[in-house]
Every structure is written in structure tokens, then in C-alpha cells.
Amino acid sequence: MAEDAFDAIIVGAGPAGSTAATVLARAGLDVVLIDRGVSAGSKNLSGGRLYTHALGKVFPDFATEAPLERLITKERISLLTQESASTVEFGSGKLGGKSASYSVLRAPFDQWLADQAEAAGASVITGIRVDDLLLRDGRVAGVVAGEEEMSAKIVLLADGAISLLARRAGLIGEPNPHHYAVGAKEVIQLGEDVVSQRFGLAAGEGCAWVFDGDCTDGHIGGGFLYTNRDTVSLGIVTTIGDLGYSDVRVPEMVERLKRHPVVAPLIAGGTLVEYGGHLALEGGYDAVPQLVHEGALLLGDAAGLGLNTGYTIRGMDLAIESGRIAAETVIAAHGRNDFSAASLAEYADRLKESFVLTDLAFYRRFPKFLEDTRGMFTDYPKLAEDAMLSLFSVDGSKPEPITRSLRTAARPIGFGRLVRDLWRGLGAINGRASVAGALGGAAIRVRGTANRKGGTR
Ligand SMILES: Cc1cc2nc3c(=O)[nH]c(=O)nc-3n(C[C@H](O)[C@H](O)[C@H](O)COP(=O)(O)OP(=O)(O)OC[C@H]3O[C@@H](n4cnc5c(N)ncnc54)[C@H](O)[C@@H]3O)c2cc1C
């Protein structure tokens, strides 16, 4: 058999791919990282909030070295109707330390990550699209880009949501539209002082704000707004499965959010400097495909590792952790010179033990809760508006006891449904304590190997 050109080929220089490339190159493996964008991150898009706990394990000095925008110290969640926003705000200097999260802009952040991989010794190639996987004797043996074939002992697929390469090679099945969402985002330039003043922030501190209700015209999904150093990132995420029933297109949803009376004054006078759209993961734990294959691993979004709980949107920290664990698995397999699925099964086992699959399992019931509880996007924002209006309106008429106001506001929904939805909602975010509990004894999904155990992916 021809000698492999590389120890590892990684497709995709997003957070998953660049992290894996860095860890592999630091261990002295001959690794190439390929991205179709003109530069790493040029095709990537996030709402823009990075939880840094996973990043710090690989890049301990990230806080001073990485291009981070603002440390998030203020959280807001709003239920929107056309005219009102019922908002919960939490501000705290304690939103730092190990649980610190920062707003980031993907183009500079992803470029920084790819630079770390290059500095560690990885070859980084941008502007090349990988068209196919090279399959030999039933295993992944490299990649095909245009006329060129490149072989490697292992290929790490970090090519983002709905990995076309994994699908084309038959490693994963057809995507379910209910497992994916469309995201659209604008970056609006305001100036550093204006951002701080309008959002009530100290220098370097930031606000993360999520919206539910009117902005998606009652469809599953929501809006987000993150303050960057001198810009804000604002956008919408809504499920593809729901879009077919919507008269309002995604760009119009973004406009609705921008026009909302509570948002509009905050972005007034701003200049649009960037916009884009991207797929986001929405399926949670049940959408995670087979992760380990003969000669290949799936990482990050390509592995379905994304989490949307309504109040947090996460993917980058899961991508970074999966990149690190995949790389450490490959280093061990390299030591054994065995890149079979059986040898690589440790990747799935370690993800299961890590926060990645534990968190996904914990929130496993959340996507189904949202699908079954449309009132979250219609009736409940209206209920909140009615309750707030009855609390805060003073017009000279006789005051009502608060309990009666709340009962009146809840009447259109019905008390029984309200309690049921509340109970199910609490259950969905209260999760299950273990991956094993969530799996209920499902069989391991490691392709083409005799090493089949119970209870992992
Ligand atoms: C609107 C929106 C808001 C989000 N908000 C947040 C948030 O606030 N916080 C958070 O943590 N996560 C958020 N996410 C999710 C987050 O963006 C992803 O989870 C994360 O980017 C996954 O990283 P990744 O490295 O797996 O994939 P990606 O970042 O998607 O990187 C994949 C890379 O592969 C490259 N590629 C793809 N195909 C090929 C090919 N054939 N050949 C060569 N290169 C290829 C692409 O160019 C890209 O660079 C959001 C997502 C969206 C869409």
C-alpha cells in the first residue's frame, strides 16, 4: 500500500478543526488543516458568545492573546410582542472566572485559532474545497480536492453542520429538517462608547441578550444580540422544519427584531458592516450521528454537537472540546499505529464522559419541548405583556389584586395548560443527570468494528 502523505488531514478550520490541528501538531504529528474559505473563519458565523472553559484547556493564555470582544457580565432574556418586551436582566461580576464567556467575531477569532495551529507546526491550507473523501478497502484513507488526492492515516471531519463529506461518503444519513435551524446575523457599528452607554456597560464588559416571540413571528427560534467592543451582533435563529409554514422570511425576521421598539433605539444611527447566514444545530442529543468510523472521526458541528436551550446558544465550546479529545485519541491511535474504528472508539467514550455529551444528554428533551409548546413563541409573550400591563398601568381606575390580574392574563391560555407547560419546561431544562440515563441502553455506534459495547455513541 502507498505510504500515507500525512498522519492526519483535518477538513475545516473552525474551532473544532483548528483546536484538533494544534493539539496534534504539538505532539509532533504531521498534520494538514484544509479550509475552503479564503482565510480561516471567513465563511463562519456565530451569534457570537464563546464560553471559554474548553478553550482554556488548550490555550491557557487565551484571555490576553485571543481576539475577544467583551467579557459578558450582563444577561437579558426578553419575551416580545409587537409592542412590548418583558425582560429579565441579570448583571453580575461573578459571570467570570471558570464560567467566563466573551463576545467574539468569528473572522478574527477563527484566524487566531488557525494561527495557533500553524505556530504549533500544522500546515494550514485555505481557499481549497475538499470535494470527497478517499475511500480504500472500506475505510477513509484521505481526501479529494479537485484533481488532487491526499492520503492520511486518519481524516478528521470538522466541516460544520450537515457534513456534506460524511454524507456523500455514506458515513451519516440524510439530515432531518427539524434538527437544523437557519441563522441570520448582522454586525452593526456603533462605536465603543455608544455601545457601553446604551447597554449600561463598563469598559470591556458586555451584554448577551436573547429574544423569544414576535421576532420569529411565533415560529420556533428566537433572536439574539451580543455587544462587541464597538459593534453589536444581532440576528435570528429559526428551525428549517418550521420555515415551510412561515409567511415571514428569515431576513424579514431580522428586520422585525431591529424595528422592535425596545431594540430600535439601541441600534439607531449604526452602520451595517457585516451580514451573513448559516446553518445551526437544533436537534440536540438525538441528532448526534455515528462519530467514529474506520479511519475517520466527526468533530464539532459535523458531529451534531450543538446546544440551544433558549437562554444559551452553544456550539463553539463543544467544538473546541471535541477537537481536543479527537486529537488526543488520534495521538494514542498513532502510538498503536491502528486507526481502525475499534482503536478510535475511545473518542466516543471520552466525549460521553466529558461535558459535551453530558450536557447534550441533560437537555435532551428541550428540542421536543419547544416543538410541542408553540405557546412559548405566541401565547406566553402575550401573557407576560398582559400581566406586566396590569401591574404597571396606572389610569385612575380601581386597582386589582395581583392574583386576579394574573388569572385574567392567563385565562386565554387556560390554567391547566399553563401548569402542564411549566412543568414540562422545567423538566426539559432540569435534564437528566447522566448520559447513560438519556441513552436508555442504546447500542454503541462505531462503524465496522467488532468492539460493540452498550450505552455510548
Ligand atoms: C446564527 C448562529 C448563532 C450561533 N451562536 C452561537 C453562540 O453564540 N455561541 C456558540 O458557542 N455557538 C454559536 N453558534 C454555533 C457555532 O457557530 C458552531 O457550533 C461552531 O461554529 C462549530 O464549530 P465547527 O468548527 O464545528 O464548525 P464551523 O465553525 O462551521 O467550521 C467549519 C469549517 O469547515 C469549512 N468547510 C466546510 N466544508 C468544507 C470543505 N468541503 N472543504 C474545506 N473546508 C470546508 C468551513 O469553511 C468552516 O471554516 C451559532 C451558530 C449560528 C448559525
Side-chain angles (χ1 to χ4, degrees):
M1 188 166 70
E3 209 171 294
D4 293 314
F6 297 98
D7 289 328
I9 294 175
I10 302 173
V11 186
S18 290
T19 303
T22 305
V23 176
L24 287 171
R26 282 179 188 165
L29 271 69
D30 189 8
V31 46
V32 61
L33 174 64
I34 306 174
D35 200 283
R36 63 184 173 174
V38 287
S39 57
S42 61
K43 293 213 174 258
N44 298 344
L45 184 148
S46 284
R49 182 214 195 125
L50 171 70
Y51 292 91
T52 52
H53 58 126
L55 185 71
K57 295 179 197 168
V58 184
F59 306 101
D61 298 326
F62 75 87
T64 50
E65 292 181 356
L68 306 168
E69 295 288 317
R70 287 176 183 251
L71 173 70
I72 302 298
T73 56
K74 189 177 279 191
E75 307 273 357
R76 282 184 190 161
I77 302 177
S78 289
L79 297 182
L80 300 184
T81 61
Q82 218 170 9
E83 287 179 281
S84 313
S86 307
T87 301
V88 175
E89 177 173 315
F90 177 68
S92 173
K94 290 185 173 174
L95 287 169
K98 192 164 176 268
S99 67
S101 67
Y102 291 82
S103 50
V104 290
L105 292 165
R106 288 294 299 275
F109 180 72
D110 287 17
Q111 184 59 57
W112 177 82
L113 271 182
D115 289 346
Q116 305 311 300
E118 198 158 32
S123 305
V124 181
I125 305 175
T126 53
I128 301 279
R129 193 188 67 207
V130 172
D131 297 313
D132 263 314
L133 296 182
L134 191 60
L135 300 173
R136 247 187 241 140
D137 305 326
R139 67 178 289 271
V140 178
V143 299
V144 182
E147 302 288 295
E148 205 179 329
E149 291 187 354
M150 296 164 82
S151 63
K153 291 173 182 144
I154 183 154
V155 175
L156 301 186
L157 290 167
D159 53 334
I162 314 194
S163 169
L164 285 179
L165 294 172
R167 211 145 54 87
R168 218 175 281 146
L171 304 184
I172 60 174
E174 285 300 307
N176 175 342
H178 293 277
H179 289 167
Y180 296 94
V182 184
K185 168 182 154 178
E186 294 188 357
V187 178
I188 298 168
Q189 174 91 38
L190 289 168
E192 190 165 350
D193 290 344
V194 175
V195 171
S196 296
Q197 280 157 15
R198 288 190 183 176
F199 291 86
L201 299 165
E205 296 191 349
C207 171
W209 196 350
V210 290
F211 305 90
D212 171 298
D214 180 72
C215 51
T216 53
D217 191 34
H219 294 280
I220 300 177
F224 57 83
L225 187 157
Y226 299 103
T227 56
N228 305 313
R229 193 174 54 78
D230 56 1
T231 59
V232 297
S233 297
L234 170 153
I236 289 287
V237 178
T238 184
T239 53
I240 292 176
D242 231 34
L243 269 181
Y245 306 104
S246 173
D247 296 330
V248 180
R249 303 286 100 192
V250 174
E252 174 54 20
M253 292 180 182
V254 177
E255 290 306 316
R256 262 173 114 111
L257 181 59
K258 285 166 61 186
R259 279 198 308 265
H260 192 277
V262 168
V263 175
L266 297 172
I267 55 171
T271 310
L272 177 66
V273 288
E274 192 183 313
Y275 68 91
H278 207 279
L279 274 179
L281 302 175
E282 198 77 12
Y285 189 85
D286 291 325
V288 176
Q290 187 174 309
L291 303 174
V292 179
H293 302 265
E294 296 288 339
L297 296 177
L298 268 59
L299 282 58
D301 270 16
L305 306 176
L307 189 56
N308 182 354
T309 61
Y311 55 92
T312 57
I313 306 170
R314 287 169 55 196
M316 287 186 280
D317 58 327
L318 286 77
I320 289 166
E321 185 79 349
S322 69
R324 180 180 69 81
I325 293 175
E328 289 172 0
T329 304
V330 170
I331 292 164
H334 187 257
R336 296 187 289 269
N337 196 24
D338 180 358
F339 295 91
S340 66
S343 169
L344 298 167
E346 174 194 332
Y347 173 56
D349 292 341
R350 285 192 56 196
L351 278 184
K352 190 182 83 173
E353 283 156 19
S354 75
F355 75 85
V356 176
L357 284 181
T358 307
D359 287 9
L360 279 178
F362 192 82
Y363 295 107
R364 185 183 191 181
R365 286 179 286 177
F366 200 73
K368 175 95 174 78
F369 165 72
L370 288 185
E371 271 208 20
D372 292 348
T373 319
R374 302 296 170 127
M376 283 295 297
F377 310 98
T378 50
D379 298 339
Y380 290 113
K382 180 80 178 79
L383 166 66
E385 180 188 50
D386 289 348
M388 293 295 175
L389 283 173
S390 75
L391 276 179
F392 295 117
S393 299
V394 177
D395 59 6
S397 53
K398 194 173 156 222
E400 261 195 348
I402 287 177
T403 43
R404 190 180 306 152
S405 305
L406 289 175
R407 265 206 318 274
T408 311
R411 197 164 295 139
I413 294 174
F415 194 64
R417 196 182 123 204
L418 190 67
V419 173
R420 218 171 35 246
D421 287 350
L422 185 66
W423 187 249
R424 287 176 53 250
L426 283 175
I429 56 169
N430 237 357
R432 293 174 189 228
S434 73
V435 181
L439 282 163
I444 190 172
R445 297 203 272 155
V446 176
R447 172 169 284 209
T449 166
N451 181 20
R452 291 181 181 270
K453 303 184 211 156
T456 187
R457 277 178 189 251

